[in-house]
Amino acid sequence: AAKAAGRNRFHLFDEDLRGRLDMRRDSERDLSQALAEGAPEVWFQPIRGPDGRTLAGLEALVRWHHPRHGWVPPNEIVAAAATMGLAESLLRLVLERSCAMMLDLRARGHGAVRVAMNVSPREMAQVPVDEIVLDRLRALGLPAAAFEIEITEETALDIAAVGDRLAALSGAGVRVALDDFGAGYSSLSSLRQFRTSRIKIDRALVTGLGGSDDKRGMVQAVLGLGRSLGLEVVAEGVETAEDLAALQALGCPFLQGYHLGRPMPADAILAALPASAPRAA
Ligand code: C2E
Ligand code: MG
Ligand code: MG
Ligand code: MG
């Protein structure tokens, strides 16, 4: 019986692995057509002010529902695009939806809500992100300061090319946020190299910080770093009322997480906007 169970377990693992390989192969194969049809969606997650209510920004997050495999995780979409030479198409799709959101926000009197888009270091190295982004913002009459690029660090990266592109973007007024700070390879020197104006604390340090002196100490240290360097700090992964209370006690200026709003389709975000403040005469 033990042997049978063992074999069964191996079989399950095997099936699971095969399923994932199938999914990767099919995603790569089908992504090109999906992008051509505009099938991938872009959802937006609220970034809130220190009160936990005010809408300060929106982070664009790609979503793709594969007809056979269901929702494909964003990191796999990005990886598949890079493998298939589709990085620029994907970037343009997310950028276009992000700009559409900025136009909708402005039309509703919420132009101060900043829209942030993720760009992987690999995309940043391979695609002229600075030219593409600045062209689109200019063409649509959108202010660079209302747009933000979120970038994560990666080892074995062409830091020079990435640094130049980020310098061009930030020189034009686009904000740069260093994502997933405190996880992986984030270093203090890259804050300067990447022209960062914002730090996003990785949710591994945030979720459950109320019950962890270690996490709370590290979040407090990043908040101090932000204050010393004049950088805005966002806490990611605020999952509970306890997380929120602990972050508010520490004076964290920007907050994001399931407790404060899940990623939602653009329509749902726009429908949930508070009535805009009347314009001053
Ligand atoms: P990220 O940029 O760090 O985005 C935050 C991720 O955490 C999102 O996952 C979001 O749904 C999730 N999240 C938000 N609040 C909470 C929370 O309270 N608890 C937990 N457990 N998770 C939370 P998602 O959408 O699956 O995206 C994963 C990663 O994929 C992103 O991490 C980003 O690095 C990448 N990504 C997403 N969209 C794009 C894109 O359009 N382009 C590129 N290059 N990368 C993208
Ligand atoms: Mg991000
Ligand atoms: Mg992050
Ligand atoms: Mg991440």
Side-chain angles (χ1 to χ4, degrees), residues 2 8 47 118 129 180 184 227 244:
N8 200 30
I47 298 171
N118 293 284
V129 177
D180 301 345
R227 275 190 288 270
L244 175 61

Side-chain angles (χ1 to χ4, degrees), residues 26-280:
D26 292 352
S27 298
E28 289 177 356
R29 191 194 57 210
D30 299 335
L31 185 60
S32 172
Q33 195 191 344
L35 284 169
E37 291 168 351
E41 297 173 36
V42 176
W43 288 18
F44 296 88
Q45 184 179 28
I47 298 171
R48 303 202 183 274
D51 60 3
R53 275 187 294 273
T54 311
L55 185 65
L58 293 169
E59 177 175 3
L61 296 161
V62 70
R63 294 287 182 268
W64 178 33
H65 192 267
H66 188 278
R68 283 202 301 117
H69 298 294
W71 296 102
V72 182
N75 286 319
E76 293 186 18
I77 303 172
V78 173
T83 304
M84 302 304 283
L86 298 168
E88 181 167 335
S89 308
L90 178 64
L91 180 108
R92 284 185 182 276
L93 181 139
V94 179
L95 176 62
E96 227 44 57
R97 307 286 172 84
S98 299
C99 287
M101 173 56 81
M102 290 168 78
L103 290 168
D104 283 333
L105 287 168
R106 292 169 74 73
R108 289 164 171 76
H110 291 276
V113 175
R114 208 184 288 158
V115 175
M117 173 180 161
N118 293 284
V119 179
S120 75
R122 215 167 142 200
E123 288 174 283
M124 190 61 84
Q126 289 173 359
V127 179
V129 177
D130 49 337
E131 290 169 29
I132 293 171
V133 165
L134 295 176
D135 271 2
R136 291 310 293 150
L137 292 176
R138 212 173 294 126
L140 296 167
L142 288 165
F147 190 67
E148 184 164 75
I149 296 283
E150 296 190 5
I151 185 138
T152 45
E153 286 181 83
E154 220 172 64
T155 49
L157 177 72
D158 183 358
I159 295 286
V162 173
D164 286 352
R165 294 210 167 112
L166 291 173
L169 285 162
S170 81
V174 171
R175 303 306 193 93
V176 177
L178 192 57
D179 208 345
D180 301 345
F181 192 79
Y185 305 102
S186 33
S187 69
L188 298 183
S189 63
S190 55
L191 286 172
R192 203 167 25 119
Q193 263 170 338
F194 285 179
R195 314 291 173 124
T196 308
S197 63
R198 211 176 228 218
I199 302 171
K200 298 193 77 174
I201 311 178
D202 192 76
R203 68 180 144 87
L205 296 183
V206 171
T207 308
L209 87 163
S212 161
D213 290 343
D214 277 359
K215 288 187 185 181
R216 204 165 43 237
M218 287 189 271
V219 168
Q220 192 165 20
V222 179
L223 288 167
L225 182 71
R227 275 190 288 270
S228 326
L229 298 178
L231 302 172
E232 295 175 348
V233 178
V234 186
E236 297 191 293
V238 184
E239 289 190 353
T240 64
E242 291 74 40
D243 293 343
L244 175 61
L247 289 159
Q248 288 176 322
L250 293 174
C252 187
F254 295 100
L255 306 154
Q256 180 179 6
Y258 292 163
H259 182 64
L260 304 171
R262 297 213 167 225
M264 289 181 282
D267 288 353
I269 291 283
L270 293 171
L273 283 176
S276 65
R279 278 168 193 257

